[in-house]
Amino acid sequence: MFKKIAQILEEGQFSGRRSTQTYGTKQKGENDFFDFFQLVKVWPEIVGERLAEHTIPLKNKNRNLTILTDHPAYSQQLSFMEEKLREKITTQFPQFKGHIKKLYFQTGSNFFQKKSELENALKSKNIATPQLSSQKKQTKLHPYSPEYKKIEMLAKKEFEDLEDEALKKQMISLFIQSHLLKIESSDS
């Protein structure tokens, strides 16, 4: 009547592994799986850096993508961009085409407040926080580093003939900034 676990294992009806089917996958011959965490990761690329600071995908249920915003104005802005957002999401994730019927928006600032509090706490303890966005890292040189001193010396030499000290200081600053931008653009 009932089989013992040992019999089931011996007959091969049960393998010690989990099913290869991924949650959210429909077996239609191709993998329709959509990695929601990947959407969260590339969200800044989809909506832009400024909107990504105030919005984040919350859930995808019944072909409805819910986006969390920290103010109703951002919800309204994204609702105007609904068609464009769906297009960008399907461009990034072709396997998700047709899986978003509608975008819904939920406003709640608690998440964003706690996120900024956590980031501030980690910054105060000098702990690096992982970025969800693919921002370019800005090249910064310490004012006492040899590279910075070299650029500063070149700038002072370049503008040594200027008599106005305030203007000279501003020009030196611009010179240094332009060199840092050149270094940054050559790194990428």
Side-chain angles (χ1 to χ4, degrees), residues 119-136:
E119 287 174 349
N120 291 338
L122 292 174
K123 283 181 186 176
S124 69
K125 294 180 181 180
N126 291 328
I127 299 173
T129 56
Q131 296 294 322
L132 292 176
S133 63
S134 58
Q135 294 177 347
K136 290 183 179 179

Side-chain angles (χ1 to χ4, degrees), residues 135-165:
Q135 294 177 347
K136 290 183 179 179
K137 299 213 178 203
Q138 186 178 2
T139 305
K140 291 186 178 181
L141 295 176
H142 192 278
Y144 295 109
S145 70
E147 296 89 2
Y148 186 92
K149 288 291 187 185
K150 182 180 177 183
I151 295 169
E152 185 180 39
M153 186 179 71
L154 287 171
K156 285 180 179 178
K157 219 177 231 188
E158 185 74 28
F159 301 108
E160 67 186 356
D161 296 335
L162 288 176
E163 294 174 5
D164 185 7
E165 287 300 317

